[in-house]
Amino acid sequence: MTRIIVSRFILGPIGTNVYSLHRDGCRDAVVIDPAADGERIFEVLTSRGLRVSAILLTHAHFDHIGGVAKLKSLSGAKVYLSELETTLSKDPQANLSADYHTPVTVSPDVSVRDGDVFTEADITFRVISTPGHTEGSCCYYIDENGSGGTGDGKPMLFCGDTLFLESCGRTDMPTGSQSALVHSIREKLFVLPDETRVYPGHMDDTTIGHEKKYNYFV
């Protein structure tokens, strides 16, 4: 099994991390949280010989879904989103896009729930429900038991705005809950292997082990 290549774009009005994943030597790719500029994401990946087969959303805030419609229309990719994120996905007021005068909604093709496992672009993801930043926030976890992954056998976690480098997501927006967020991080994420590479929605990547040691927010 060949290694997974992770690329990052920083897009949108508040600098959201947008990730693309594909296996070395394979054409299909997955995009996580296309924040904005769906056409640009499509063009860059197409220029690399890649085809977007799926769009995975960690939650439905405006700065994570702004590029979904355009990227989907160009690529035909399926959109994945938690079944608990309906309030934000269908309401521009709740997802805050109305505040930026560009109302955005998103309708997923696939609704996921905690524990779901699926494969896209020959990569297997496990859904971890992590309510707190929003009610339907979730993470996507990849663990290939040393047979591929990042190339060094370490698991990967794409966590949106649940966990940041020595910080965590806000909870003062619609459907947010500080107590739920802390519980999600401690009980759902800090039980993952310490070497798990964490790819957040903002700021630099980190590891579960580093956050268990230095993240004083939780």
Side-chain angles (χ1 to χ4, degrees):
M1 188 175 293
T2 58
R3 69 188 180 103
I4 297 170
I5 298 173
V6 179
S7 299
R8 180 177 69 158
F9 306 81
I10 301 177
L11 299 172
I14 57 175
T16 301
N17 290 332
V18 180
Y19 300 100
S20 70
L21 292 73
H22 71 280
R23 286 204 182 276
D24 193 12
C26 297
R27 184 184 177 197
D28 285 346
V30 171
V31 172
I32 299 178
D33 288 351
D37 300 326
E39 185 172 3
R40 176 185 169 193
I41 296 170
F42 177 80
E43 290 175 349
V44 170
L45 295 182
T46 299
S47 73
R48 297 174 182 173
L50 299 173
R51 180 183 65 186
V52 180
S53 63
I55 299 167
L56 311 186
L57 303 178
T58 61
H59 64 292
H61 274 150
F62 76 101
D63 59 317
H64 291 253
I65 64 172
V68 171
K70 178 59 72 172
L71 181 58
K72 179 180 178 178
S73 69
L74 291 170
S75 66
K78 292 181 291 185
V79 177
Y80 288 71
L81 180 67
S82 169
E83 64 180 2
L84 301 177
E85 198 68 343
T86 303
T87 299
L88 270 65
S89 67
K90 298 186 180 303
D91 185 349
Q93 297 293 332
N95 68 36
L96 308 179
S97 60
D99 293 350
Y100 285 79
H101 310 294
T102 53
V104 177
T105 61
V106 61
S107 297
D109 301 293
V110 183
S111 295
V112 298
R113 63 180 65 183
D114 189 44
D116 281 356
V117 176
F118 62 89
T119 299
E120 288 285 356
D122 200 29
I123 302 168
T124 298
F125 300 85
R126 175 161 66 88
V127 178
I128 302 175
S129 179
T130 51
H133 179 62
T134 69
E135 182 180 28
S137 287
C138 71
C139 303
Y140 298 97
Y141 181 62
I142 304 169
D143 183 6
E144 301 193 326
N145 298 314
S147 62
T150 58
D152 54 13
K154 295 179 181 179
M156 295 180 279
L157 180 77
F158 296 85
C159 62
D161 290 358
T162 294
L163 181 64
F164 297 139
L165 173 63
E166 299 179 15
S167 186
C168 59
R170 293 173 56 178
T171 57
D172 58 341
M173 296 176 285
T175 77
S177 166
Q178 182 67 25
S179 61
L181 179 67
V182 171
H183 181 270
S184 291
I185 294 172
R186 289 178 175 172
E187 302 300 323
K188 305 294 283 293
L189 301 187
F190 280 3
V191 299
L192 299 174
D194 283 355
E195 65 269 22
T196 301
R197 176 61 59 184
V198 176
Y199 295 93
H202 303 275
M203 301 191 295
D204 293 332
D205 56 310
T206 181
T207 65
I208 290 294
H210 181 91
E211 296 313 307
K212 286 167 65 176
K213 186 174 182 179
Y214 296 108
N215 195 317
Y216 70 88
F217 285 95
V218 292

